[in-house]
């Protein structure tokens, strides 16, 4: 891989970044190969001095410059978010490409391996299932379907093979990174890389490499560090030197540290699916290959220089033609749009074929309306009001991130937190009812009636449960996931940068020679980006509520869609979050950490959910007292039940609407004040340039 780019070759020729920075075969980077990179003795001396000073930085096990436990330590670092989404598959592919130029398998192969083959196994298990007679809890015999044991074992073996395949590939990537890190360290010390020493170094860390990418493993802690020492004096070279780029911590980041410390046990750091290791590797690969400023897309690895000039031209000329904006998108956005269109076409044909009575053309219309609700808000926020602040290409990527990445992450995290909340509330409830012997006796004789009495007589237990569900399970998780979804995406017109005085003055030339945006335009772009992630998240969530959580009834699906469309909580909370992000990144307010950014959104989101949940609880209590609960079999007539439901649901809906209005008013006031501050920053930058 000792390949240098010709002076006439453009970076947009799909050349791997590793080749662009000229990583030699012996594992040293172009930064370390000072003998070939420097043209004069003075340059060689300067680079040697910089390398000596770099040796004063901390070095962790395996030669890494960041700890395996450093995930989410820096809110400006986007790589850690990608390491968690999709179990780090996207990050691993990108690391491998940057390091070796190896591209991942095509999407159709991955879909076949990871989705179609398991689906075929499950379909075969259902088709060849045999009837088995078992006894239920009452001792009565009943017939159930049982899959053939051979197919079950074959499916388990196939899944294990897929896990082993990914495990081996990730191990090889980590060893390749450690090889280059060892060579870099040797160059810094002025030593030659000996294959025998390199082999011993990799063998010494073989156990760490094995544990780093296990499905569930224990790794070394952040305290297990290796420092560079002067062998002649035995002095620690980096002793007393503070780490760079330390960020101010707020309550939320300290809470994260507290929760993260619970993953430390018996001198080990627990992780799942190697997410911590993937994040560590991506940070290191970016440093080794000079891609710390994110110059390529994920998945397609297309350099920004291939498509961003066309986008910039449309912005400069203020072109509003949808077709021209569509033609200017990147390969990644183009593939996303084509795949979504193909899926919708397949679903339309499936609905028209009447194969499944639960999904007809009427259900297809409901699906299109669900998508249309999100697209309409996106049209207003982006195309109508802020078209030239953020490109259509970026909007597609942010929306897709919210739909495909943040929603599954939120579902998994909410499942874990909900389980913990249930355990905590169960323990508290057990302590509260432990003295009620009558209720305990009734649980053994008539559990259903005992549960009703528990619901009616112990409201504190259920209100506490709803409070934790509203604020911890739903609001905190979803707002955090949406925030990290925004941080995860990197586009050329939203390049990551730390807030510096010059970066905040709206200078005339930005990255890669393109004109830089002013502070006001950048603030609008941040808002559009965060709202796009939230709309993607809300769209996927609405589809789940309409077609998965609701009964298979067209009327129920339409009413569920209307109810969720009237209260756009997710985009509103994302817009509120953007106020804090702009204060931190554009106004340079270091007091605004993750906690302050998401707190107003969590408060609004949690309050909205809590009101609806508590109202549903009291409605259930009233139904139990009136004997109208489902278990009694004496439900009221349908017409009377409908009018009763409307009168009971109207107050919480009005309360929810009040929360939405208050949240919107808060955003408008804060946004207008921030716009004036950003305009003042732009004016100050213009005056500084003119002077």
């Amino acid at each position: 891989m000792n390949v240098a780019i010709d002076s006439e070759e453009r970076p947009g020729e799909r050349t791997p970044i590793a080749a662009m920075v000229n990583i030699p075969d012996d594992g040293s980077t172009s930064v370390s190969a000072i003998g070939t990179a420097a043209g004069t003795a003075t340059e060689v001396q300067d680079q040697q001095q910089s390398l000596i000073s770099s040796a004063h930085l901390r070095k962790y096990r395996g030669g890494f410059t960041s700890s395996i436990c450093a995930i989410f330590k820096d809110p400006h670092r986007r790589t850690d978010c990608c390491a968690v989404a999709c179990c780090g598959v996207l990050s691993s592919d990108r690391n491998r490409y940057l390091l070796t130029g190896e591209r991942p398998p095509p999407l159709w192969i991955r879909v076949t391996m990871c989705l179609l083959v398991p689906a075929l196994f499950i379909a075969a298990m259902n088709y060849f299932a045999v009837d088995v007679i078992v006894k239920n809890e009452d001792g009565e015999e009943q017939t159930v379907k049982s899959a053939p044991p051979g197919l079950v074992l074959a499916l388990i073996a196939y899944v294990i093979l897929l896990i082993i395949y990914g495990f081996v590939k990730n191990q090889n990537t980590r060893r390749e990174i450690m090889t280059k890190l060892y060579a870099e360290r040797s160059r810094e010390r002025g030593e030659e890389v000996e294959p025998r020493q390199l082999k011993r170094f990799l063998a010494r860390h073989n156990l760490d490499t094995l544990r780093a990418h296990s499905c569930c493993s224990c790794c070394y802690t952040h305290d297990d560090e290796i420092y560079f020492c002067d062998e002649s004096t035995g002095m620690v070279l980096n002793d007393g030197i503070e780490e760079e780029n330390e960020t101010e911590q707020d309550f939320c980041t300290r809470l994260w540290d507290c929760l993260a410390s619970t993953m430390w046990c018996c001198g080990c750091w627990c992780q799942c699916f190697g997410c911590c290791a993937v994040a560590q590797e991506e940070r290191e690969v970016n440093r080794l290959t000079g891609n710390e400023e994110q110059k390529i897309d994920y998945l397609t690895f297309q350099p920004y220089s291939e498509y961003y000039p066309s986008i910039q031209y449309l912005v400069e000329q203020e072109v509003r033609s949808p077709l021209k904006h569509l033609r200017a998108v990147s390969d990644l956005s183009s593939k996303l749009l084509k795949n979504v269109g193909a899926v919708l076409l397949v679903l339309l044909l499936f609905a028209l074929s009447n194969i499944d009575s639960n999904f007809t053309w009427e259900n297809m219309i409901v699906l299109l309306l669900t998508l249309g609700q999100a697209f309409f808000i996106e049209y207003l926020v982006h195309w109508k009001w802020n078209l030239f602040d953020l490109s259509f290409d970026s909007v597609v990527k942010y929306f897709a991130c919210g739909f495909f990445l943040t929603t599954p992450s939120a579902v998994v995290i909410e499942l874990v937190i909900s389980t913990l909340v249930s355990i905590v509330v169960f323990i508290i409830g057990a302590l509260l009812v432990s003295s009620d012997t009558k209720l305990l006796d009734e649980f053994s004789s008539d559990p259903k009636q005992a549960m009703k009495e528990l619901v009616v007589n112990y409201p504190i237990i259920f209100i506490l449960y709803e409070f934790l569900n509203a604020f911890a399970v739903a609001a905190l998780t979803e707002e955090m996931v949406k925030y990290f979804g925004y941080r995860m995406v990197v586009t050329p017109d939203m390049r990551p940068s730390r807030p510096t005085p010059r970066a905040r003055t709206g200078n005339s030339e930005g990255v890669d020679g393109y004109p830089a945006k002013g502070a006001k335009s950048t603030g609008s772009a941040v808002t559009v980006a965060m709202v796009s992630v939230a709309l993607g998240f809300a769209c996927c969530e609405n589809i789940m509520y309409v077609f998965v959580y609701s009964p298979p009834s067209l009327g129920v699906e339409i009413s569920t869609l209307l109810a969720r469309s009237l209260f756009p909580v997710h985009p509103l909370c994302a817009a509120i979050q953007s106020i804090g992000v702009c204060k931190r990144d554009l106004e340079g307010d270091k007091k605004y950490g993750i906690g302050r950014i998401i707190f107003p959104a969590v408060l609004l989101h949690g309050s909205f959910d809590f009101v609806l949940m508590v109202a549903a609880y009291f409605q259930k209590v009233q139904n139990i007292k009136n004997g109208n609960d489902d278990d009694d079999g004496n439900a009221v007539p349908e017409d009377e039940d409908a009018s009763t439901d409307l009168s009971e649901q109207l107050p919480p809906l009005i309360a929810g609407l009040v929360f939405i209005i208050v949240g919107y008013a808060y955003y408008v006031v804060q946004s207008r004040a921030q716009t004036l501050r950003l305009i003042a920053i732009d004016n100050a930058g213009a005056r500084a340039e003119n002077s």
Side-chain angles (χ1 to χ4, degrees), residues 103-168:
R103 287 183 173 271
L107 181 61
W108 68 270
I109 293 181
R110 281 195 160 166
V111 171
T112 302
M113 292 175 57
C114 301
L115 295 179
L116 294 184
V117 173
L120 289 176
F121 269 111
I122 295 173
M125 289 162 59
N126 290 329
Y127 183 79
F128 293 105
V130 294
D131 293 335
V132 178
I133 298 177
V134 297
K135 292 185 177 181
N136 57 21
E137 296 178 355
D138 299 330
E140 300 176 354
E141 292 185 350
Q142 61 181 17
T143 303
V144 296
K145 293 286 187 179
S146 177
L151 287 176
V152 175
L153 293 176
L155 177 59
I156 294 174
Y158 180 76
V159 172
I160 292 175
L161 285 176
L162 286 181
I163 293 174
I164 293 175
Y165 172 75
F167 176 68
V168 171

Side-chain angles (χ1 to χ4, degrees), residues 5 31 38 78 123 131 155 167 177 279 303 319 323 371 453 489 639:
I5 290 185
V31 177
R78 303 179 181 229
D131 293 335
L155 177 59
F167 176 68
I177 295 172
V319 177
L323 186 60
L371 297 173
E453 292 187 11
V489 181
D639 295 338

Side-chain angles (χ1 to χ4, degrees), residues 658-683:
V658 170
F659 277 111
I660 296 295
I661 295 174
V662 170
Y664 180 74
Y666 172 83
Y667 168 73
V668 169
V669 172
Q670 293 293 324
S671 178
R672 288 181 177 177
Q674 186 171 73
T675 300
L676 295 177
R677 295 195 299 269
L678 296 180
I679 292 175
I681 292 175
D682 286 337
N683 294 337

Side-chain angles (χ1 to χ4, degrees), residues 59-65 174-175 177-183 185 201-202 204-205 208-209 220 224-226 280 284:
K59 296 289 180 180
Y60 297 81
R61 291 180 68 151
F64 290 93
T65 56
R174 191 170 184 86
R175 287 195 181 96
I177 295 172
M178 291 171 65
T179 298
K180 297 187 183 301
L181 291 173
Y182 181 83
R185 187 181 71 175
F201 170 77
L202 294 176
R204 189 166 66 247
H205 293 281
D208 298 332
T209 306
Y220 41 89
D224 195 355
E225 301 163 348
I226 292 180
Q280 184 190 37
E284 211 62 56

